[in-house]
């Protein structure tokens, strides 16, 4: 019922805006005609009347097109405002009812991350209404699998998430071989068990990221910030770590692994930014 009422209100507002625009357009055209009659003493030549008609039609078309574009942009802004609060609403909760679980799925971090990437591409390729349609497809998808959601959005999951905001995403056990996530923010992301072999994670922020049992063999982790991450049983053989900063409270790193990473160019710091010597 609430959805029906919102739909009726939306149609009412659209009709009201259209009527208001029509009144303004008619008044402007009438004013132009009045000025023409005054200037020509009530006897305007046919050529001028024809020109006035053409100008009037062009004016009405231009103003109506501008109104529709502004309306689409307003719809897009309202849509983004509605979804802006949802990330914090997606923390695990075993007490959720079925309906609440469906709402949580609808606004999951995976869906929001994919939608956010689509919005980032909007100025280049998508009109507001196209984005809203695509957003609906993402939000109503009956899957929360990141790879599948990316494909629904027409994105290449291995290439299109460079510098993406991927906080809280769940990529656990995903096959991400060769993925390019350079410059991405992976705060509190779940990458446990993920296959990140040959992945590009350079210049990323791995803040409180779960990388337990992840395969990072031959991955590029150069200039990456690793903070509060879980690296238990993670495979880092052959990983490029020059300039990587391991800053405080990372778990799962043995002294031997720390020493090996440091010899390959990694920097270990405490929370204050002081470099930590690795015991020999």
């Amino acid at each position: 019922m609430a959805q029906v009422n919102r739909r009726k209100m939306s149609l009412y507002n659209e009709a009201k805006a259209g009527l208001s625009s029509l009144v303004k357009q008619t008044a402007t055209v009438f004013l132009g005609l009045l000025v023409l009659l005054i200037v020509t003493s009530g006897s305007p030549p046919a050529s001028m009347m024809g020109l006035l008609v053409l100008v009037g039609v062009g004016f009405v078309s231009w103003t109506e097109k501008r109104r529709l574009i502004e309306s689409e942009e307003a719809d897009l802004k309202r849509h983004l405002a509605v979804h802006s609060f949802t990330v914090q609403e997606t923390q695990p909760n075993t007490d959720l009812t079925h309906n609440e679980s469906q709402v949580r799925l609808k606004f999951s971090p995976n869906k929001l991350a994919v939608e956010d990437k689509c919005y980032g591409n909007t100025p280049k390729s998508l009109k507001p209404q196209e984005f809203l349609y695509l957003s609906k497809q993402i939000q109503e998808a009956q899957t929360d699998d990141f790879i599948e959601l990316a494909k629904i959005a027409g994105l290449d999951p291995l290439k299109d998430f460079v510098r993406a905001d991927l906080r809280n995403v769940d990529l656990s056990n995903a096959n991400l071989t060769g993925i390019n996530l350079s410059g991405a923010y992976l705060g509190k992301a779940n990458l446990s068990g993920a296959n990140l072999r040959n992945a590009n994670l350079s210049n990323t922020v791995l803040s409180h990221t779960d990388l337990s049992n992840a395969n990072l063999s031959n991955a590029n982790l150069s200039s990456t910030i690793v903070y509060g991450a879980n690296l238990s049983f993670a495979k880092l053989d052959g990983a490029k770590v020059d300039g990587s900063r391991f800053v405080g409270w990372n778990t799962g790193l043995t002294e031997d692994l720390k020493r090996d990473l440091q010899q390959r160019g990694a920097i270990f710091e405490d929370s204050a930014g002081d470099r930590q010597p690795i015991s020999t």
Side-chain angles (χ1 to χ4, degrees):
M1 180 64 70
Q3 185 176 2
V4 173
N5 289 336
R6 284 195 296 269
R7 179 62 178 166
K8 288 181 178 178
M9 183 61 69
S10 177
L11 291 173
Y12 170 76
N13 290 334
E14 176 64 24
K16 183 179 178 181
L19 179 60
S20 176
S21 178
L22 179 62
V23 170
K24 292 178 181 178
Q25 294 163 4
T26 302
T28 302
V29 173
F30 178 77
L31 181 61
L33 176 61
L34 181 61
V35 170
L36 179 62
L37 291 173
I38 293 174
V39 170
T40 60
S41 301
S43 301
S47 59
M48 294 189 69
M49 286 296 296
L51 179 61
L52 178 63
V53 171
L54 290 176
V55 171
V57 171
F59 171 75
V60 171
S61 299
W62 176 76
T63 54
E64 186 63 15
K65 181 179 180 180
R66 187 178 66 175
R67 184 185 70 82
L68 291 174
I69 291 175
E70 290 176 348
S71 177
E72 289 179 351
E73 292 176 345
D75 286 343
L76 178 58
K77 290 178 180 178
R78 282 194 295 270
H79 172 83
L80 295 173
V82 167
H83 292 94
S84 64
F85 70 94
T86 56
V87 172
Q88 61 186 354
E89 297 296 330
T90 57
Q91 301 303 317
N93 187 339
T94 56
D95 297 326
L96 291 176
T97 65
H98 174 72
N99 288 338
E100 289 170 334
S101 297
Q102 291 302 308
V103 171
R104 188 171 69 84
L105 175 63
K106 182 177 180 181
F107 298 121
S108 72
N110 284 14
K111 291 185 175 183
L112 290 171
V114 173
E115 181 182 275
D116 181 67
K117 191 60 180 177
C118 290
Y119 176 65
N121 292 340
T122 297
K124 298 179 181 179
S125 58
L126 294 176
K127 295 179 181 179
Q129 286 298 329
E130 292 174 331
F131 169 76
L132 289 171
Y133 173 78
L134 194 57
S135 173
K136 183 178 180 181
Q137 299 298 110
I138 296 168
Q139 296 298 344
E140 294 183 355
Q142 296 302 305
T143 179
D144 198 43
D145 182 88
F146 186 86
I147 303 298
E148 292 302 317
L149 291 170
K151 291 178 179 178
I152 289 173
L155 299 171
D156 185 337
L158 298 183
K159 297 179 181 179
D160 290 337
F161 288 89
V162 174
R163 294 185 295 277
D165 184 349
L166 300 176
R167 72 186 74 191
N168 298 299
V169 297
D170 184 358
L171 294 168
S172 57
N173 301 307
N175 183 6
L176 304 172
T177 303
I179 192 171
N180 187 354
L181 295 176
S182 59
Y185 179 73
L186 287 153
K188 297 184 179 180
N190 184 359
L191 294 167
S192 61
N195 185 357
L196 290 158
R197 186 179 181 86
N198 297 315
N200 185 353
L201 296 170
S202 60
N203 297 289
T204 58
V205 177
L206 301 173
S207 174
H208 301 284
T209 306
D210 188 353
L211 289 160
S212 59
N213 295 293
N215 184 357
L216 291 158
S217 301
N218 300 312
N220 184 356
L221 293 164
S222 58
S223 301
T224 291
I225 298 175
V226 187
Y227 176 79
N230 182 359
L231 291 153
S232 301
F233 304 106
K235 296 179 181 179
L236 289 159
D237 49 298
K240 185 178 180 181
V241 294
D242 53 301
S244 297
R245 294 169 53 202
F246 290 77
V247 188
W249 296 294
N250 296 300
T251 60
L253 290 174
T254 65
E255 290 300 315
D256 288 341
L257 183 53
K258 287 181 181 179
R259 189 180 306 111
D260 178 51
L261 293 173
Q262 191 177 53
Q263 289 173 350
R264 284 190 264 158
I267 300 167
F268 284 83
E269 303 175 351
D270 60 22
S271 58
D274 297 324
R275 296 193 180 189
Q276 297 176 332
I278 303 300
S279 58
T280 59

